Amino acid sequence: MLPDVADPSRLGFRIDALASGSQARAATFRTLHGEVETPLFMPVGTQAAVKAQTAQTLQDSGTQILLANTYHLLLRPGAEVFRRMGGIHRFMSWPRSVLTDSGGYQIFSLPHAREMTEEGAVFQSYVDKRSVLLSPELSIETQVAIASDIMMALDQCVAATTDHVAAHAAADLTHRWAARSLLARRDSPQALFAIVQGALFPDLRRASVDCLAAMPFDGYAIGGLAVGEGLSERQDMCELTAERMPRDKPRYLMGVGTPLDILEAVHRGLDLFDCSIPTLVAKRGGAFTSRGFLQLRRGVHELADASLDPACDCTTCRLYSRSYLHHLTKIQETLGWQLLGQHNLYFYHRLMREIRQAILADAFLSFYREKRALFQESDVDNPTRPPRVRRARPLALGQYEVHVAAEGFASIRHIASREIMHACTPPMDEALHLYVEQAQVAERLRLAASEEAATAETLVIWDVGLGAAANAMAAIRCYEAQAAAHPVRGLHIVSFENDLDALRLAFRNDHLFPYLRHAAPASLLSSGAWQSSAHPGLGWHLVQGDFFATLSQATPRPDLIFYDLFSAETHADAWKLSSFRLLFAACGDKGVELFTYTASTAGRVALLGAGFYVAKGCSTDDKPESTIAFTHEALERGTARRHELLGAVWLARWKRSGAKFPIDLPVHEQAAFEQAILQHDQFRGL
Ligand SMILES: [Zn+2]
């Protein structure tokens, strides 16, 4: 039996209104730093900092509670700093409330070795490599030192795909840790929430909420969602858990989500939310507005004098034009990240206030229906295609399924290998960054003053691995934006793909893949080709079949190659020396530049061995470098001179590498191959 340690009035939670025809509710409670009103969104300040925001901009945006993370703060700066500095509020100059997550979710997402025992979670510190045992007691002790207003009990989070036996064991362990957390809090005035687990099993979720609700916590959270499950699975779990959560305590859905996700969860009876999306998408030039989701990097904003959101009165919207914000995102200026982040947070907080007003006025259901439609729109001022009638949309097709990342964006996953196309960034962001911008497609399309469109050479892109067409669509959008503002040469894209199911699946779910709302993919899927009606110079065709069997016959020959096939584990042929030799031969005497996401030694050396020059490519969200390869003619013509060739440092590392040779190189050819690499033109003189 547990002693009755929780003061039932720690938060003084009271319901202000319940919505008709919905589970939505508006409530008020009081933390150690003031009264807060729900439904409420909490910005994520994992390491006692919300990215690119100050305490002042957070207050201006309407933030009432900030989320910080015990796991990170325990490792750096450490509990002692908080004790000496008088707690997190004084430390970061934040006068309002703070909620600290316990660290369970971070340990679950650790890439390094971790071990779960009855005592706690053992993991290796990323700061100083020492082994740390994070027990429920240490988590509470640290949160007491941090001096947050609301603490979370340590939980064991498991993947959405975990089987019933393992999920059951993790939920039971979470319950025992919850009881120990309550005991460890002693007489601290800080509130403490428990976290419901149970993966995607309704019986486990119900048992978990019932077990925790019997203990005297100040609030309850739904954990273990937004970890790789589908959207409808998440909503089902959220609904059946919320139904059984105590009505007289705050209900918190952890790590969720987009404005639409939050609206759906409020409708299902949740009160509190946290997510890094507002600042994360701001970093990538994205903004949530009353006119739909805007990507400020799009060329359509270059000359837009309008404010970011005509319905918003935040500092960003009052002072700056879309044109200026577009410019800041194009030059990757931190100020753009800050300004868009400030607006996005303001947008979230205002949405929460509007939701609350609608509940208080008992008009939530109509508000929900109206906003639900808006949140599925992207950029209504610059539409690319009218929205189509919705029909049933399967989330898997052939070898592929739709994957929705924790940040809320969708990608296509290869079921057998679990490999995700564009895993860490929204597909369109990666397509722009890694392929279209690095290849300088916009600059290449613009005609010099002396050139005439009718006689200028058409730019040809080989899009190797069509996938869900993100790279091809990024190039098409780039052309359309350039053609609207400048005289341009023609663009022809040749896409290579043997299995069109990935594109078909994404196309059927174009609410999750809004970049496909365009005439081009529909035409490519139905007839294998597309010719723009607005731009006679813009065309796209498909070569279906195995790339290496079709490439020697494919025309026209490329200027640029976007090489985006699955990795060597899934598609070994794509990274072989013999394959790159075929590709090199197909380049003929053209100045060709190839861009690819990998920086693997075996892939790079196979490109070198085939005759390409090889350079460092830009970083991506999950890798510090990608790769660029090009022909000697590209160097001669000057277009490739801006790339940073692999040099002595890479060569020295290659000599020591265990993955030194292309995977298909016979052992007896290795010595000769090594000599050929050392004598490669790009290493001459090293
Ligand atoms: Zn604004």
Side-chain angles (χ1 to χ4, degrees):
M1 282 296 290
L2 281 165
D4 184 17
V5 289
D7 175 355
S9 66
R10 263 188 173 90
L11 290 176
F13 182 84
R14 64 165 202 273
I15 303 253
D16 300 318
L18 296 169
S20 309
S22 164
Q23 298 300 314
R25 50 202 224 146
T28 305
F29 62 87
R30 172 167 283 281
T31 74
L32 298 169
H33 287 82
E35 195 162 83
V36 294
E37 295 179 332
T38 75
L40 178 74
F41 176 77
M42 304 181 283
V44 175
T46 303
Q47 311 208 41
V50 177
K51 297 204 182 294
Q53 301 299 318
T54 66
Q56 191 56 52
T57 58
L58 290 167
Q59 285 192 69
D60 292 347
S61 73
T63 302
Q64 299 186 61
I65 306 183
L66 267 192
L67 183 138
N69 203 286
T70 307
Y71 165 78
H72 292 283
L73 298 180
L74 168 69
L75 299 179
R76 193 161 48 198
E80 191 53 28
V81 169
F82 288 100
R83 285 190 198 101
R84 301 246 184 140
M85 295 295 135
I88 191 169
H89 295 85
R90 192 164 165 269
F91 185 52
M92 63 180 289
S93 191
W94 173 246
R96 298 182 184 169
S97 306
V98 173
L99 179 147
T100 37
D101 192 6
S102 59
Y105 177 79
Q106 279 65 37
I107 289 165
F108 155 74
S109 8
L110 280 183
H112 309 298
R114 59 176 197 265
E115 186 194 350
M116 292 294 171
T117 68
E118 185 65 36
E119 184 53 25
V122 183
F123 63 92
Q124 195 185 36
S125 162
Y126 63 82
V127 176
D128 56 11
K129 306 283 179 235
R130 77 196 149 98
S131 174
V132 179
L133 166 69
L134 182 60
S135 64
E137 290 78 13
L138 178 61
S139 177
I140 293 293
E141 186 190 320
T142 309
Q143 295 182 73
V144 167
I146 294 169
S148 54
D149 297 86
I150 301 173
M151 306 187 284
M152 302 299 298
L154 188 67
D155 60 327
Q156 193 188 353
C157 192
V158 293
T161 48
T162 305
D163 67 43
H164 193 276
V165 172
H168 194 174
D172 282 348
L173 184 62
T174 297
H175 304 156
R176 294 193 294 275
W177 285 1
R180 282 165 55 188
S181 301
L182 265 179
L183 277 173
R185 176 175 60 164
R186 298 201 186 89
D187 58 354
S188 163
Q190 294 163 263
L192 177 60
F193 285 16
I195 303 176
V196 175
Q197 288 290 348
L200 297 180
F201 301 103
D203 61 324
L204 295 181
R205 285 273 169 192
R206 290 194 190 101
S208 182
V209 69
D210 289 352
C211 173
L212 294 168
M215 300 184 218
F217 286 98
D218 305 299
Y220 294 89
I222 304 179
L225 291 183
V227 291
E229 75 282 0
L231 204 57
S232 62
E233 285 171 315
R234 182 196 302 173
Q235 287 175 356
D236 290 351
M237 281 307 125
C238 178
E239 186 162 340
L240 76 89
T241 311
E243 270 170 16
R244 297 171 90 93
M245 292 169 102
R247 296 173 58 84
D248 57 350
K249 300 280 171 66
R251 299 166 172 172
Y252 165 25
L253 178 58
M254 304 181 80
V256 171
T258 63
L260 181 61
D261 293 335
I262 291 177
L263 188 71
E264 294 287 358
V266 168
H267 180 47
R268 288 164 174 78
L270 276 296
D271 309 309
L272 300 175
F273 309 91
D274 79 89
C275 193
S276 53
I277 284 181
T279 45
L280 195 71
V281 302
K283 187 181 183 185
R284 298 170 181 147
F288 297 96
T289 77
S290 63
R291 310 295 297 158
F293 184 80
L294 303 196
Q295 174 47 261
L296 269 301
R297 290 160 76 151
R298 285 181 65 194
V300 292
H301 303 301
E302 189 177 356
L303 294 169
D305 198 25
S307 73
L308 177 58
D309 183 350
C312 180
D313 57 355
C314 81
T315 312
T316 304
C317 292
R318 276 190 285 110
L319 297 181
Y320 304 100
S321 65
R322 288 184 182 183
S323 173
Y324 182 59
L325 295 167
H326 167 79
H327 167 69
L328 293 179
T329 58
K330 292 303 278 190
I331 60 171
Q332 300 192 333
E333 166 54 52
T334 310
L335 179 60
W337 182 9
Q338 189 199 339
L339 293 176
L340 290 178
Q342 204 176 340
H343 162 82
N344 283 344
L345 288 171
Y346 193 91
F347 179 90
Y348 265 67
H349 292 315
R350 195 182 54 175
L351 168 67
M352 303 314 287
R353 288 197 300 274
E354 288 172 357
I355 289 176
R356 180 176 163 87
Q357 289 309 318
I359 298 170
L360 293 175
D362 201 13
F364 177 76
L365 210 53
S366 55
F367 178 90
Y368 164 79
R369 291 195 182 116
E370 179 201 326
K371 291 288 177 183
R372 200 169 178 267
L374 171 71
F375 290 156
Q376 299 184 38
E377 287 294 337
S378 88
D379 205 344
V380 292
D381 295 326
N382 302 287
T384 46
R385 196 174 158 203
R388 292 171 309 116
V389 179
R390 291 195 66 155
R391 53 180 187 277
R393 299 168 184 221
L395 288 171
L397 181 68
Q399 298 191 63
Y400 303 97
E401 64 187 358
V402 173
H403 169 79
V404 179
E407 291 91 345
F409 65 83
S411 312
I412 296 292
R413 173 155 66 190
H414 185 246
I415 295 172
S417 68
R418 313 299 290 165
E419 199 168 324
I420 298 172
M421 303 176 180
H422 308 282
C424 295
T425 20
M428 216 34 170
D429 282 12
E430 184 163 308
L432 278 171
H433 176 62
L434 187 54
Y435 298 102
V436 171
E437 286 171 6
Q438 254 205 133
Q440 298 191 325
V441 173
E443 292 81 351
R444 286 166 190 264
L445 287 172
R446 287 185 211 162
L447 290 178
S450 59
E451 285 179 296
E452 278 182 46
T455 51
E457 249 182 275
T458 293
L459 181 71
V460 179
I461 298 176
W462 277 16
D463 168 44
V464 182
L466 169 68
N471 300 339
M473 287 310 301
I476 287 171
R477 303 275 191 195
C478 174
Y479 181 96
E480 290 172 340
Q482 290 303 315
H486 310 276
V488 288
R489 71 184 71 250
L491 170 65
H492 191 89
I493 302 170
V494 187
S495 285
F496 296 85
E497 185 57 79
N498 57 358
D499 184 352
L500 290 176
D501 281 349
L503 178 57
R504 285 194 193 103
L505 177 61
F507 187 71
R508 286 175 195 177
N509 289 282
D510 68 2
H511 59 304
L512 296 172
F513 299 87
Y515 66 85
L516 291 174
R517 292 180 184 162
H518 190 285
S523 174
L524 194 82
L525 279 173
S526 62
S527 69
W530 172 71
Q531 171 59 55
S532 168
S533 50
H535 305 287
L538 177 59
W540 185 18
H541 85 269
L542 174 72
V543 176
Q544 213 176 338
D546 178 69
F547 174 59
F548 304 101
T550 53
L551 78 95
S552 61
Q553 301 301 316
T555 54
R557 303 268 121 184
D559 299 294
L560 297 172
I561 300 173
F562 295 167
Y563 199 78
D564 197 7
L565 293 169
F566 277 118
S567 73
E569 287 76 46
T570 309
H571 190 176
D573 275 354
W575 308 95
K576 286 180 176 169
L577 177 64
S578 52
S579 303
F580 285 134
R581 281 182 170 147
L582 281 175
L583 186 54
F584 186 77
C587 294
D589 56 4
K590 277 190 97 167
V592 180
E593 292 174 49
L594 175 151
F595 299 82
T596 188
Y597 60 88
T598 183
S600 83
T601 303
R604 284 176 164 184
V605 82
L607 284 162
L608 285 166
F612 289 100
Y613 290 76
V614 178
K616 291 174 187 170
C618 66
S619 65
T620 64
D621 268 13
D622 59 339
K623 292 191 193 81
E625 268 179 28
S626 54
T627 298
I628 302 168
F630 49 87
T631 60
H632 186 256
E633 287 70 18
L635 201 60
E636 299 249 291
R637 290 176 181 208
T639 55
R641 273 182 215 145
R642 64 203 157 89
H643 303 313
E644 187 191 344
L645 285 168
L646 301 182
V649 174
W650 182 86
L651 199 60
R653 203 175 336 125
W654 175 70
K655 286 184 202 162
R656 296 192 305 268
S657 168
K660 200 168 168 178
F661 298 109
I663 45 184
D664 57 330
L665 187 75
V667 175
H668 68 268
E669 292 178 21
Q670 285 179 355
F673 182 85
E674 180 157 6
Q675 277 313 307
I677 294 298
L678 296 175
Q679 286 161 16
H680 193 290
D681 191 44
Q682 86 173 63
F683 300 125
R684 189 162 296 162
L686 292 182

